[in-house]
Amino acid sequence: MRLELQNISKRFGQKPVLTAVDLELKDNQVMSILGKSGSGKTSLLKIIAGLEDADTGNIFLNETSIISQKPNTRHIVYLFQEALLFPHLNVFDNIAFGLQAQQLKAAEIDKRVKAILKEIDLSAHSSKFPQQLSGGEKQRVAFARAIIVQPQVLLLDEPFGALDVDTRETMQKLFLKLMKAYGIAALFVTHDLKEALLIGDQIAKIDKGYLKTYTSQSEFIQDAQSGVKEEIDFWMQIQQSK
Amino acid sequence: MLRRIVHFFLIAVIFLPVAVLLILSFSEHWIFPDVLPENFHRQTWLRLFSTESELRQSLGLSIVVSLCVAFFSTLMGCILSRAVSTSRYKKYYISLAYLPYILSPVVLGVLWHYFAVVIGLNASFIGVVSAQFLICFPFGFIILSSFWTRHISNYEELSITLGSSEWFRFKKVIFPLAKPVLGLCFFQCFLISWFDYGLTQLIGGGQVKTLTLSVFNFINEANIFLAALASLLLVIPPMTLLFFNKKIILKRTLIH
């Protein structure tokens, strides 16, 4: 799988949201996209998913243009910051949603859902409804629901933003484990520098609609504009003042 | 203790008029200062079950008219509110939907009456349904507009990327999420139509005799026993719907 964006631009009225964005995501890789609120990261993900239209540019998935393809046939799943579990469906049916949409046989759905429930350690919760789960459990179900359909690319829009520190760390580990196990490429949007470095094989930074990609983590760390140096300086100052 | 008294008082206020109507419908003669009627009989109720019962026809007609009005108002309200949900003029459309309520229903009825005569819908079932629809549809639109929030849109977008078709999305996501508000809208529109008198009288021209019209007719004829029975019949369907509607709303509250 190879995702490539060429010269993607988007304006809302007179306001440019994305300007000439180029991006390349390789097979089984996770790219962290670091950006502040309003930097255009959500618009970028929505354009890739097909939920919004780009004004210019093209998107290629395995060398084939998908820009005019319907979002439900792109095999690109978009995960929101909120878990967005369907409140009227239990854990099992929430996870099975995408497989049912593909009209798979009930026995096959049952087998696959049970297997992934085991992996996310929620087998005992399969008949529970979302309101009976904790924040971390909800997010795990949301992951399982996305991964079970075996998407070509997974787009994550600050999925751990609403979680507490401990749950966030657990979720980051689980995310990396599942990505490797299922061999799915992902674009992971975050505003947390540490999280971006921890999660991403590749790193990019988006600011006012301009995207800058880095070839390696060390290139990113050494870049004066990446914010890593300021972060290190901050902690050094704290240490020295004590 | 005070809570119990208030509770008892409220129950009495709601059910006492119904009890009086029930007693009246089984009475032959009930004059002041008698606490209860002299005789009880089933004649009034038996009239309801006779083959040519006008009351039964009115009941049937009322049910059909109100179900049609509630169904089409909910359906059109849902479709139209969805269509304008992403429009930047949404709030203007909602303001526009309040227009029929600025006018008195009678004024609206008189205006609609002219068009009903011109297009031949006057004194017909469809004429009455369309007149009541004019009042109920904007109401349905206003209620259902509140459903299409950013949150619902996120659910939709998520299910699209999970590979769902439009029909699957509607069946598995939108309809179950909208069910409580659709139920509420249907119920409210049914009630507005069920108790409507002015528009039905004006557009129906006395040819479309719904139960509300029958109640007034019996009262005008000073037939209080039949009026009591008709009034009871008038109360039963809304109470049944209220019961189911309450169950749906309670279920929704438990889910969230």
Side-chain angles (χ1 to χ4, degrees), chain A residues 65-81:
Chain A
S65 171
I66 56 161
I67 197 85
S68 52
Q69 206 173 319
K70 284 184 177 174
N72 61 336
T73 58
R74 286 190 184 192
H75 300 289
I76 295 176
V77 175
Y78 181 97
L79 277 184
F80 291 76
Q81 184 174 6

Side-chain angles (χ1 to χ4, degrees), chain A residues 57-232:
Chain A
N58 211 336
I59 304 171
F60 295 92
L61 193 61
N62 298 328
E63 317 292 332
T64 310
S65 171
I66 56 161
I67 197 85
S68 52
Q69 206 173 319
K70 284 184 177 174
N72 61 336
T73 58
R74 286 190 184 192
H75 300 289
I76 295 176
V77 175
Y78 181 97
L79 277 184
F80 291 76
Q81 184 174 6
E82 263 182 288
L84 284 180
L85 300 184
F86 304 119
H88 52 283
L89 299 179
N90 63 20
V91 168
F92 185 97
D93 288 330
N94 259 289
I95 296 175
F97 183 88
L99 301 179
Q100 287 168 349
Q102 290 172 14
Q103 295 178 321
L104 260 63
K105 284 183 180 167
E108 174 67 15
I109 293 174
D110 193 64
K111 194 178 111 190
R112 282 166 69 171
V113 174
K114 279 180 179 164
I116 207 159
L117 273 169
K118 210 172 171 185
E119 273 190 82
I120 60 167
D121 202 21
L122 283 178
S123 297
H125 298 68
S126 69
S127 56
K128 282 186 180 172
F129 281 88
Q131 68 276 11
Q132 297 171 288
L133 304 175
S134 68
E137 287 168 340
K138 281 180 189 170
Q139 207 53 265
R140 271 192 273 171
V141 175
F143 262 140
R145 182 175 60 183
I147 287 168
I148 203 167
V149 296
Q150 294 174 323
Q152 302 252 32
V153 182
L154 190 59
L155 308 172
L156 302 103
D157 195 353
E158 301 194 50
F160 310 138
L163 301 176
D164 61 81
V165 179
D166 289 344
T167 316
R168 196 171 177 144
E169 275 179 25
T170 313
M171 288 305 299
Q172 286 164 348
K173 283 175 193 161
L174 180 76
F175 168 74
L176 288 173
K177 187 185 122 189
L178 289 174
M179 286 295 107
K180 296 297 165 206
Y182 282 81
I184 297 168
L187 283 180
F188 189 98
V189 159
T190 180
H191 61 261
D192 184 339
L193 188 64
K194 202 175 126 195
E195 189 170 70
L197 285 164
L198 190 78
I199 298 280
D201 303 304
Q202 296 172 256
I203 297 183
K205 194 174 178 188
I206 190 165
D207 190 23
K208 292 172 186 162
Y210 290 92
L211 186 89
K212 185 177 180 185
T213 49
Y214 299 87
T215 49
S216 64
Q217 284 207 352
S218 54
E219 190 199 343
F220 174 73
I221 292 165
Q222 278 158 21
D223 183 1
Q225 291 180 334
S226 70
V228 179
K229 198 174 170 300
E230 282 104 317
E231 186 87 359
I232 294 168

